[in-house]
Amino acid sequence: MNTNPIIMITGATAGFGEACARLFAKAGWRLIITGRRLQRLQSLQTELGGASQVCISCFDISDRQATEQAFAELPEEFQQIDVLVNNAGLALGLEPAYATDPEDWERMVDTNIKGLMRCSRLVLPGMQSRDRGYIINIGSVAGNWPYPGGNVYCASKAFVRQFSLALRADLLGTQIRVTNIEPGNAETEFSMVRFKADEERADKVYENTVALTAQDIADTIWWLVNTPAHMNVTTMEIMPTQQATGPLAIYRD
Ligand code: NDP
Ligand code: 8X3
């Protein structure tokens, strides 16, 4: 029987999640990989060792029923999740609040907030009864540093930050750890999604600068998981060297 630890990575079909899946698979971990794009999940499963190593769970994390069903249908040998990486998420649009598509706001809340919250709730009872586990949330610098057009995306990541801190408060006295990683500008499919496949606009985000890579975040997750059990990194804000906060804005007419 394979007793290697199990990591569940939401949103493993691209970006941070995919890089994290590759890294942990290489180290012999068993994986549960999620996302909506089944074909990508299947290719990754084949590449990373097949069904005994990698369990596919294909569902839309913004759908409560689908999420609950996906957890209920996990094969028995994949039920004892050691690490949950709450990574699936997205930004949609960069318009000022008065000009956004209200549907985009709903989707960000349903995905970044409700999806993350539900996966945490579904995994926690098992971790609590085993008195073992690690939840790694992918927040963002956007949760700390609001910017024009960030509106609901920034707010959704502020939720992730506060939820992570509150989980720590609830889990005091257990061996369950929680970390909120807050990356800055990272080159993934993030901007293609944000700008709805407008490649030119997406490319501009990474033009003439050195962004973080998905591998940087995967390496960070690997480091966190391998820290000693008595140590909990609460929050990690990680920016590219070529990114910093700006001054407060003043409008003058
Ligand atoms: P990508 O767009 O490359 O990857 C996003 C992943 O999330 C995909 O696997 C996608 O899978 C999954 N996902 C999105 N919506 C859903 C959904 N409704 N149901 C299931 N899965 C979903 O972006 P990143 O890797 O950059 O983003 C990962 C996380 O990191 C996000 O939470 C993002 O907000 C955060 N982040 C990103 C930064 C960046 O600059 N790139 C910086 C800071 C934080 P699929 O489409 O197959 O469903
Ligand atoms: C992604 C980073 O600055 O585009 O969370 O919001 S940013």
Side-chain angles (χ1 to χ4, degrees):
M1 202 177 85
N2 191 338
T3 55
N4 287 356
I6 297 173
I7 184 168
M8 178 178 205
I9 306 162
T10 68
T13 56
F16 301 163
E18 183 181 351
C20 186
R22 288 182 199 286
L23 185 58
F24 277 75
K26 211 166 144 192
W29 282 57
R30 288 180 291 157
L31 316 178
I32 302 165
I33 52 173
T34 91
R36 292 162 299 181
R37 286 170 287 183
L38 180 60
Q39 225 176 356
R40 287 203 187 190
L41 292 172
Q42 286 169 332
S43 314
L44 208 52
Q45 184 189 49
T46 307
E47 183 194 326
L48 301 181
S52 62
Q53 286 294 123
V54 182
C55 171
I56 287 176
S57 188
C58 186
F59 63 97
D60 182 340
I61 210 165
S62 68
D63 179 334
R64 178 178 182 174
Q65 206 188 338
T67 306
E68 288 172 353
Q69 194 177 330
F71 274 77
E73 287 175 354
L74 285 176
E76 206 183 330
E77 63 276 20
F78 279 94
Q79 282 177 9
Q80 300 204 357
I81 295 166
D82 296 285
V83 177
L84 168 65
V85 182
N86 271 321
N87 165 73
L90 79 176
L92 290 169
L94 198 60
E95 288 75 36
Y98 49 80
T100 52
D101 178 346
E103 278 311 310
D104 286 350
W105 279 14
E106 296 290 327
R107 271 185 66 201
M108 286 188 277
V109 167
D110 289 346
T111 309
N112 301 358
I113 297 180
K114 292 188 181 175
L116 179 141
M117 171 187 101
R118 290 179 190 134
C119 288
S120 306
R121 181 64 184 84
L122 286 161
V123 90
L124 273 167
M127 288 185 174
Q128 196 265 341
S129 68
R130 293 187 293 279
D131 197 21
R132 193 179 76 235
Y134 201 156
I135 296 181
I136 297 181
N137 293 328
I138 306 298
S140 169
V141 292
N144 303 328
W145 312 104
Y147 54 84
N151 44 69
V152 167
Y153 180 69
C154 293
S156 74
K157 293 301 185 178
F159 170 89
V160 175
R161 178 184 177 86
Q162 198 62 17
F163 184 61
S164 306
L165 297 176
L167 279 182
R168 285 278 300 130
D170 281 356
L171 295 169
L172 183 68
T174 75
Q175 293 301 309
I176 305 166
R177 300 191 282 169
V178 182
T179 298
N180 184 34
I181 303 181
E182 301 169 341
N185 193 29
E187 189 162 359
T188 60
E189 293 179 10
F190 178 84
S191 294
M192 279 294 277
V193 173
R194 167 168 253 173
F195 299 122
K196 301 175 181 174
D198 181 339
E199 207 169 336
E200 209 180 314
R201 218 174 153 198
D203 285 348
K204 283 216 176 322
V205 176
Y206 313 110
E207 208 173 77
N208 301 327
T209 190
V210 182
L212 296 172
T213 65
Q215 189 63 41
D216 294 329
I217 302 306
D219 288 341
T220 303
I221 294 170
W222 177 253
W223 177 78
L224 284 168
V225 166
N226 288 288
T227 52
H230 69 270
M231 165 177 157
N232 189 103
V233 177
T234 309
T235 309
M236 271 184 108
E237 190 182 75
I238 307 168
M239 291 190 200
T241 308
Q242 297 192 355
Q243 181 178 33
T245 53
L248 292 175
I250 298 173
Y251 176 74
R252 300 176 202 277
D253 55 12

